[in-house]
């Protein structure tokens, strides 16, 4: 999956596809069996999906045009990164992997001391281990600071390929090792998974537990005190064409044993575009 693909556009395409399938199914059944009521119901439901998909696609296109206009205007500032976190209100499922997208908060202070807060769009990866600087370029006209665009392409190019949604083929690890095709990637941090989420009266939030209870039940907690089940190790590889590929290891229960930054690791693979792969954790070296 390409990093630059909008989450909103992805949802729009899913709704549009489901809508077309439902309408086609309804019309097909009516032509074969003459079940007009069935056709009406399926076409009605399909039309609803098409409308939702169309609205999402329209919103995405409007946002894309606004972002492009801000970039074309050429006015930008470099804002200080102050926090990286997961979005509590969004959950994205791609293939069999579901996750809460990440986002970056940054702050800029002008010459008069006035501060501006900015938030990036949804990121389908943890950017912590990929940052080249503690600042990000933000396209904005400070006369109208509500309209802005946080440029994250310096962290990961828009044509980068995220293979993390394919799952590490642990079951095929020996087969992939026997084939012998591998690349040497560099680790670029970890992603926590299995954060326990509960629905509160005001807003959904990740479950927070006192330290003594977490220790009693052998639960791990992140830097914000939220319980999680384990982690995956992310690794980065740039091919001969300059395309950046991001892989994720199999899930490992418990707390990360290190930051896993800049270590060399073998990624065994088979098929076009690394269709099947296995991050060999045992091959980690400094």
């Amino acid at each position: 999956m390409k990093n630059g693909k909008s989450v909103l556009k992805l949802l729009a395409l899913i709704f549009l596809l489901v809508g077309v399938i439902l309408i086609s199914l309804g019309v097909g059944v009516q032509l074969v069996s003459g079940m007009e009521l069935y056709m009406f119901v399926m076409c009605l439901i399909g039309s609803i999906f098409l409308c939702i998909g169309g609205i999402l696609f329209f919103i995405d296109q409007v946002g894309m045009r606004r972002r492009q206009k801000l970039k074309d205007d050429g006015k930008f500032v470099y804002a200080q990164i102050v926090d990286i976190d997961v979005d509590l209100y969004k959950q994205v499922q791609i293939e069999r992997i579901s996750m809460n997208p990440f986002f970056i908060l940054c702050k800029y202070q002008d010459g008069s001391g006035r501060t501006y807060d900015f938030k990036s769009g949804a990121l389908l990866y943890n950017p912590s281990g990929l940052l080249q600087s503690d600042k990000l370029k933000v396209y904005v006209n400070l006369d109208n600071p509500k309209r802005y665009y946080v440029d994250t392409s310096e962290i990961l190019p828009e044509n980068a390929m995220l293979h993390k949604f394919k799952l590490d083929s642990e079951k095929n690890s020996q087969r992939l090792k026997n084939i012998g095709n591998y690349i040497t990637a560099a680790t670029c941090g970890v992603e926590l998974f299995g954060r326990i989420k509960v629905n509160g009266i005001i807003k959904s939030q990740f479950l927070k537990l006192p330290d003594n209870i977490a220790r009693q039940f052998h639960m791990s907690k992140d830097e914000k005190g939220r319980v999680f089940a384990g982690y995956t190790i992310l690794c980065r590889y740039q091919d001969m064409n300059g395309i950046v590929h991001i892989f994720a290891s199999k899930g490992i229960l418990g707390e990360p044993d290190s930051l896993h930054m800049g270590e060399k690791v073998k990624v065994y693979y088979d098929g076009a575009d690394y269709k099947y792969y296995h991050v060999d954790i045992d091959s980690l070296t400094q």
Side-chain angles (χ1 to χ4, degrees), residues 223-285:
E223 69 281 356
K224 290 182 170 62
R226 300 175 300 212
V227 175
F228 66 93
Y231 65 99
T232 61
I233 300 174
L234 299 181
C235 50
R236 181 184 189 276
Y237 172 73
Q238 185 168 340
D239 64 24
M240 291 185 296
N241 297 319
I243 304 298
V244 175
H245 301 264
I246 301 294
F247 302 92
S249 74
K250 67 176 183 178
I252 305 169
L253 295 177
E255 298 183 13
D257 54 358
S258 74
L259 296 177
H260 290 294
M261 293 288 296
E263 303 161 313
K264 293 181 179 180
V265 62
K266 291 181 178 178
V267 180
Y268 291 90
Y269 68 92
D270 186 28
D273 295 325
Y274 309 102
K275 182 176 181 180
Y276 305 101
Y277 75 88
H278 170 65
V279 179
D280 186 11
I281 299 174
D282 295 332
S283 69
L284 282 169
T285 58

Side-chain angles (χ1 to χ4, degrees), residues 30-285:
Q30 194 276 333
L31 291 175
V32 173
S33 61
M35 299 173 62
E36 294 185 0
L37 179 60
Y38 180 85
M39 181 193 71
F40 174 77
V41 173
M42 295 297 288
C43 288
L44 178 62
I45 297 174
S47 298
I48 293 174
F49 272 85
L50 282 177
C51 288
I52 295 174
I55 292 171
L56 292 176
F57 189 78
F58 175 76
I59 294 173
D60 176 74
Q61 291 300 302
V62 170
M64 186 171 65
R65 291 193 187 97
R66 286 180 177 175
R67 291 192 296 271
Q68 190 58 49
K69 186 177 185 305
L70 286 169
K71 294 177 74 172
D72 291 342
D73 289 343
K75 296 179 180 179
F76 64 87
V77 298
Y78 281 97
Q80 185 78 33
I81 296 173
V82 295
D83 193 19
I84 297 173
D85 204 356
V86 289
D87 195 322
L88 307 179
Y89 298 97
K90 292 181 182 178
Q91 191 168 42
V92 180
Q93 181 157 348
I94 301 174
E95 297 186 16
R96 291 174 291 171
I97 304 293
S98 62
M99 66 171 292
N100 290 84
F102 286 79
F103 64 87
I104 302 174
L105 293 178
C106 42
K107 187 183 292 289
Y108 172 75
Q109 186 175 53
D110 64 17
S112 64
R114 182 179 178 183
T115 59
Y116 304 84
D117 296 317
F118 305 107
K119 179 180 177 180
S120 75
L123 303 174
L124 299 179
Y125 59 92
N126 182 0
S128 302
L130 295 163
L131 293 173
Q132 304 297 317
S133 170
D134 59 355
K135 293 183 179 181
L136 284 178
K137 182 186 289 186
V138 180
Y139 290 93
V140 61
N141 183 343
L142 295 182
D143 294 330
N144 185 16
K146 290 184 178 181
R147 290 193 175 183
Y148 63 87
Y149 168 58
V150 179
D151 186 2
T152 57
S153 63
E154 294 180 6
I155 303 175
L156 200 59
E158 291 189 354
N159 64 347
M161 299 296 295
L162 299 178
H163 301 278
K164 51 178 281 189
F165 297 105
K166 295 180 182 179
L167 286 178
D168 183 344
S169 302
E170 173 64 18
K171 292 182 179 179
N172 294 322
S173 60
Q174 193 56 53
R175 180 183 71 84
L176 294 174
K177 288 182 179 180
N178 290 338
I179 293 174
N181 296 330
Y182 73 86
I183 54 177
T184 301
T187 57
C188 55
V190 300
E191 273 188 16
L192 304 180
F193 68 82
R195 289 185 174 94
I196 302 174
K197 194 165 77 171
V198 295
N199 290 324
I201 296 176
I202 301 176
K203 64 179 182 179
S204 59
Q205 58 184 333
F206 288 110
L207 182 63
K208 294 184 180 181
L209 293 178
D211 290 339
N212 59 336
I213 296 179
R215 285 194 298 268
Q216 180 180 350
F217 291 96
H218 306 288
M219 294 181 174
S220 302
K221 298 170 68 176
D222 65 12
E223 69 281 356
K224 290 182 170 62
R226 300 175 300 212
V227 175
F228 66 93
Y231 65 99
T232 61
I233 300 174
L234 299 181
C235 50
R236 181 184 189 276
Y237 172 73
Q238 185 168 340
D239 64 24
M240 291 185 296
N241 297 319
I243 304 298
V244 175
H245 301 264
I246 301 294
F247 302 92
S249 74
K250 67 176 183 178
I252 305 169
L253 295 177
E255 298 183 13
D257 54 358
S258 74
L259 296 177
H260 290 294
M261 293 288 296
E263 303 161 313
K264 293 181 179 180
V265 62
K266 291 181 178 178
V267 180
Y268 291 90
Y269 68 92
D270 186 28
D273 295 325
Y274 309 102
K275 182 176 181 180
Y276 305 101
Y277 75 88
H278 170 65
V279 179
D280 186 11
I281 299 174
D282 295 332
S283 69
L284 282 169
T285 58

